Every structure is written in structure tokens, then in C-alpha cells.
């Protein structure tokens, strides 16, 4: 999970009028490999300092520049990108070839260099929460149960997750794997009594149960 990171552009020295560039708020990769799966990038930015209006910013979340020639395609899979910002490429700025799939991109982002044309990608409102303790040793970001991230990645494509999400919780927990770093818990509740009531796994509508004894 990469949340709230920033790359800053500004003057290279107090007396040097040459502006620098901010590239890759979360990850900047130059002449290296990039193969990322089941990761969440939210609210990262490439930004300039207040007085440095000539500085350039690109790749709010990702900035990718391969070696020449590019021997291996960049790969972004089953990842969730939301709220990232830069002048050029809110989600991604890149040179070279980037292969994407099964990923979710927020409609408000400049995703031109990122989402490509893969039919398995989704572009819509991401319905993300905030960075919080959702279990496990590191903080993560939950998405709403109605999010298209839920159960989007077919089980045959879950191998990159290694069977667990960032917290160490099992993947998949439902019919398929979820997009991003967190696998939403998919619990069911059976209540036995004079009349049995079952709250099914993955239920999103409010459930009311009255118990008397």
C-alpha cells in the first residue's frame, strides 16, 4: 500500500534558477524492472514547491523509464489507483511498454499512460476509505463492499498474491480475488433459533435480526 507519498520539484540550489522535476510520487523506476501486483496506490502526488512555477511534475503514483532497449515489459496487475495527481500522468507517466490487467482506476485521475486498453481493467469510482489499522502489521486502505474491486480477479489469476493479502489474510475470501492490497473479509453468519436467519457471505445490504429469550 502506497498512500500520501510525494515527490517534490524545486530549484536545485538557492542561487540556481534551473528548476528540477518531480517524478513518481510513490515509485520512480529508471532503467530498472517493474512488476507490481495486488497493490494500492492512493493520494500520491508529484508536486512543485510554491514559488517554483517552472518545475515540472509527472507520474503522481508511478514514473517508469526503462533501459534502452527495453528488454522486459513493465507490468501492473490487479492494482488499485485512486486520487493520485501530477501535471502529466496523474496515475502514471512512462516511457516504454507497460502491460496492465485486472486493475481499477479512478475516473478522476489522468490514467492515459497507465490503464492502456486491457479489457479486464475497470475505470470507475473507487470508493476507498482512509489509511488505517485493518489488521496485520501494516496499515491498509479498505474499499466499500459495493466497489468493483470486490471479487474482480479470477482465481486462476490470483497466483501473484501468494494466497494472502498485505495483512496476511487469506486470498481469495470470496468467489474471486479482490483488486489491491487488501482482501475484503467475506464472512457469513448463521443464527439458529425458532426461525433460522442467515446473513450470506458478501452481503452488502443492511441486515436486521431480532433476538428474544
Amino acid at each position: 500500500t502506497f498512500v500520501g507519498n510525494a515527490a517534490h520539484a524545486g530549484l536545485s540550489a538557492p542561487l540556481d534558477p534551473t528548476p528540477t522535476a518531480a517524478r513518481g510520487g510513490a515509485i520512480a523506476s529508471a532503467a530498472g524492472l517493474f512488476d507490481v501486483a495486488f497493490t494500492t496506490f492512493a493520494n500520491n502526488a508529484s508536486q512543485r514547491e510554491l514559488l517554483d512555477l517552472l518545475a515540472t511534475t509527472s507520474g503522481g503514483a508511478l514514473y517508469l523509464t526503462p533501459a534502452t532497449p527495453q528488454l522486459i515489459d513493465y507490468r501492473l496487475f490487479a492494482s488499485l489507483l485512486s486520487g493520485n495527481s501530477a501535471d502529466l500522468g496523474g496515475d502514471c507517466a512512462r516511457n516504454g511498454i507497460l502491460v496492465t490487467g485486472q486493475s481499477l482506476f479512478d475516473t478522476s485521475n489522468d490514467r492515459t499512460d497507465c490503464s492502456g486498453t486491457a479489457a479486464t481493467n475497470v475505470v470507475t469510482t473507487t470508493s476507498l476509505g482512509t489509511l488505517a489499522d485493518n489488521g496485520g502489521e501494516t496499515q491498509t486502505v479498505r474499499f466499500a463492499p459495493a466497489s468493483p474491486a470486490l471479487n474482480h480477479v479470477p482465481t486462476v489469476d490470483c497466483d501473484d498474491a501468494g494466497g494472502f493479502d498485505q495483512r496476511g489474510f487469506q486470498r481469495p475470501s470470496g468467489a474471486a480475488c479482490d483488486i489491491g492490497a487488501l482482501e475484503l473479509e467475506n464472512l457469513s453468519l448463521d443464527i439458529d433459533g425458532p426461525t433460522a436467519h442467515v446473513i450470506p457471505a458478501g452481503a452488502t445490504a443492511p441486515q436486521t435480526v431480532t433476538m428474544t429469550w
Side-chain angles (χ1 to χ4, degrees):
T1 298
F2 295 82
V3 175
N5 302 286
H8 295 271
L11 300 180
S12 56
L15 299 180
D16 185 350
T18 305
T20 60
R23 296 172 176 172
I27 295 176
S29 175
L33 301 178
F34 180 85
D35 191 340
V36 171
F38 290 99
T39 302
T40 298
F41 297 91
N43 303 321
N44 302 289
S46 289
Q47 57 195 34
R48 66 177 59 80
E49 299 303 323
L50 181 61
L51 298 179
D52 299 321
L53 301 180
L54 297 179
T56 59
T57 70
S58 54
L62 306 173
Y63 182 85
L64 307 174
T65 300
T68 303
Q70 182 178 8
L71 301 178
I72 302 176
D73 293 347
Y74 291 133
R75 179 173 175 265
L76 179 69
F77 183 76
S79 293
L80 194 160
L81 293 91
S82 175
N84 305 296
S85 61
D87 291 338
L88 300 172
D91 278 334
C92 301
R94 64 175 172 84
N95 298 300
I97 299 171
L98 172 66
V99 177
T100 68
Q102 305 291 0
S103 292
L104 174 59
F105 300 90
D106 194 283
T107 53
S108 65
N109 293 3
D110 176 6
R111 58 195 177 278
T112 305
D113 270 5
C114 210
S115 60
T117 58
T120 56
N121 290 332
V122 180
V123 179
T124 186
T125 302
T126 50
S127 302
L128 279 186
T130 58
L131 189 66
D133 182 358
N134 294 303
E137 297 183 358
T138 56
Q139 292 187 323
T140 50
V141 179
R142 297 179 70 87
F143 55 84
S147 170
L150 183 70
N151 294 335
H152 180 80
V153 185
T155 53
V156 69
D157 293 327
C158 290
D159 289 349
D160 282 304
F164 301 96
D165 72 359
Q166 178 178 315
R167 305 166 299 167
F169 289 22
Q170 181 177 337
R171 280 192 195 264
S173 66
C177 282
D178 300 339
I179 296 173
L182 182 142
E183 181 81 5
L184 201 65
E185 298 87 346
N186 201 5
L187 305 177
S188 63
L189 176 64
D190 294 352
I191 299 175
D192 292 328
T195 301
H197 184 88
V198 177
I199 299 176
T204 57
Q207 304 283 320
T208 301
V209 179
T210 302
M211 302 178 66
T212 58
W213 59 91

